[in-house]
Amino acid sequence: MKRLFSAKPHRGFIALVLASAVAISGFSAAPARADNDVAKFIAGAALLGIIGAAIHEHKDDKREKRRQTVQHPHKTYTPKPVPSRVSRYDLPVKCQRHFHGKSSVISRGCLTRHHTHVQSLPHRCGLSYWNGKRYRQGFGTHCLRKHGYRLVHR
C-alpha cells in the first residue's frame, strides 16, 4: 500500500488542514440550501480527492526518477604481472603439507608442477619426510621463510 503522506509528516498535515479549510470556506460563503448542499459536498470531496491523487502520483514519479541508478560502464582492472625477481619468492600455499601438528613442509613435487623457480630454492632447506606411505622430498617452511620466501594463494 502506498503511503499518502511524504517522508516529512508536517507537509502532509499542512496539506490536510489547507484542504479542509478550503472545503469549509466554500460552504460558509453560500447561503444554506438543503437540496444543493449534499451535491456540492460530494462534488467538492471528489474534486479534492482527484487533486490529492494527482499530487501524490506526481511525487511518486519524482521518487522513481531519483531511485533509478545510472549505469556506468564497468572498467576491468588488470593488475600488472609481478616481476620474476619478486615472484620467485612467492610459493603456492597449496603445496604446503601438515603432518600431525608438526612443522609444515612444502612438497617438492607440487612445487615442480606449480612453481618455475624450484632450482633456486636454498638446498639447506631441503629435507625428506614420511607422508604415511613413503618418503618424499620437500622443503621446511620455517627455513624458507628465513630466506625470504612466503606462501601465497594463487
Side-chain angles (χ1 to χ4, degrees), residues 36-112:
N36 286 339
D37 284 347
V38 174
K40 287 182 183 179
F41 177 74
I42 292 173
L47 182 64
L48 286 176
I50 291 170
I51 291 172
I55 290 171
H56 184 69
E57 286 298 319
H58 181 69
K59 285 183 180 180
D60 279 350
D61 290 344
K62 282 186 177 179
R63 283 189 197 116
E64 281 299 319
K65 286 179 184 176
R66 261 189 263 142
R67 279 188 210 145
Q68 292 174 352
T69 57
V70 178
Q71 295 288 333
H72 296 290
H74 180 70
K75 295 180 182 177
T76 57
Y77 174 72
T78 313
K80 291 183 180 178
V82 178
S84 63
R85 67 181 184 275
V86 175
S87 68
R88 71 186 203 110
Y89 289 102
D90 294 341
L91 302 175
V93 74
K94 60 184 165 186
C95 294
Q96 185 178 20
R97 306 289 184 253
H98 298 279
F99 295 105
H100 306 294
K102 296 181 181 177
S103 61
S104 61
V105 175
I106 306 293
S107 168
R108 183 181 191 89
C110 181
L111 282 178
T112 305

Side-chain angles (χ1 to χ4, degrees), residues 104-125:
S104 61
V105 175
I106 306 293
S107 168
R108 183 181 191 89
C110 181
L111 282 178
T112 305
R113 288 188 300 276
H114 300 289
H115 188 63
T116 57
H117 304 284
V118 178
Q119 298 302 321
S120 66
L121 293 173
H123 294 290
R124 72 177 91 171
C125 295

